[in-house]
Amino acid sequence: LEEANKAVMKLQEELTLKQPELEKTQVQLVEQTKVLAVEYESAEETRKVMAVGEAEAKETEENATKLSNEAEAEVKKVEPKLREVRKQLNNLDEKDFIELRTTKIMSATMKIVFEAFLIMWGKVQPTKPKDPAQVANDPKGLLAAMKKVLEVPKDIKAKLIDDRSFMAELSEPELDKRLKKLEPI
């Protein structure tokens, strides 16, 4: 029993000696727990932000896919018409352009087609004629402008068929705005 008491006393002395170190370790443990709680909170905030970002990215991707599909559907609708127009343009002969160039009186259809072409082409602008005889038939000067365009028939045909650089550099809304100003036939 005496030996047990001595062992207990020895253990108590060791415990008393290690008490400051034990308290220091306990304080460090409390501080480390606080740091871990803050880091966990920060990680949780980051996870929430990431979840929102992922949802937005998914929505953006879905919208882009939808727009892409709609554009493809529009292209599929327009492609047959484009092929037909190109076929018709290929059937045009140089003499057809020469005939247009020598036209003196324009029909209502020719006026609207010429005006639309000049708007889209954008490089030649009509000027109002000064000759009163011309003003009666062509008050906007479309015929004179188209004659300038048709000076080199082969060049025009090639541009109409293959080259889109002849198009005016207009935004789609601006092109729509200009084309809406065309007078109906």
Side-chain angles (χ1 to χ4, degrees):
L1 193 62
E2 196 174 305
E3 268 185 46
N5 279 340
K6 282 183 186 179
V8 167
M9 291 285 276
K10 188 176 179 181
L11 284 173
Q12 269 185 332
E13 283 175 18
E14 283 179 22
L15 191 60
T16 305
L17 285 175
K18 291 187 178 183
Q19 185 67 29
E21 193 177 314
L22 188 60
E23 288 173 359
K24 182 180 171 184
T25 303
Q26 191 174 13
V27 167
Q28 287 176 345
L29 184 62
V30 167
E31 287 177 14
Q32 189 67 25
T33 303
K34 288 178 183 176
V35 167
L36 286 173
V38 168
E39 287 177 357
Y40 175 80
E41 190 107 357
S42 175
E44 189 63 23
E45 289 264 335
T46 302
R47 186 194 64 74
K48 288 177 183 175
V49 168
M50 292 293 290
V52 168
E54 286 174 1
E56 288 173 353
K58 185 177 181 180
E59 183 180 343
T60 300
E61 180 184 5
E62 288 171 356
N63 286 341
T65 301
K66 180 182 174 189
L67 288 173
S68 175
N69 291 341
E70 288 172 0
E72 280 183 39
E74 280 298 312
V75 167
K76 284 181 182 178
K77 281 185 201 174
V78 173
E79 276 181 336
K81 293 175 186 174
L82 179 62
R83 280 193 297 276
E84 181 60 30
V85 167
R86 284 192 174 183
K87 181 180 169 186
Q88 294 297 327
L89 287 171
N90 277 324
N91 290 336
L92 289 176
D93 191 274
E94 186 176 336
K95 67 181 177 187
D96 296 321
F97 289 105
I98 292 169
E99 185 178 326
L100 279 174
R101 201 173 64 222
T102 59
T103 298
K104 301 248 186 268
I105 298 175
M106 291 192 307
S107 68
T109 304
M110 287 173 73
K111 285 179 185 178
I112 199 160
V113 169
F114 282 6
E115 189 170 4
F117 179 82
L118 291 171
I119 287 170
M120 291 175 64
W121 196 43
K123 293 185 176 152
V124 174
Q125 296 301 316
T127 54
K128 294 182 181 178
K130 293 180 174 113
D131 181 2
Q134 288 178 335
V135 172
N137 180 47
D138 185 18
K140 293 182 180 181
L142 298 172
L143 193 56
M146 282 306 294
K147 284 182 180 185
K148 283 183 192 174
V149 171
L150 296 171
E151 283 176 355
V152 186
K154 287 181 183 175
D155 184 42
I156 294 302
K157 184 177 176 182
K159 286 183 177 189
L160 288 171
I161 294 171
D162 300 318
D163 181 10
R164 288 190 176 78
S165 68
F166 80 93
M167 294 288 285
E169 301 220 1
L170 300 172
S171 65
E172 192 171 322
E174 179 62 23
L175 185 58
D176 284 346
K177 182 176 135 187
R178 288 185 183 188
L179 290 175
K180 284 179 183 172
K181 289 181 182 177
L182 293 175
E183 296 172 19
I185 299 174

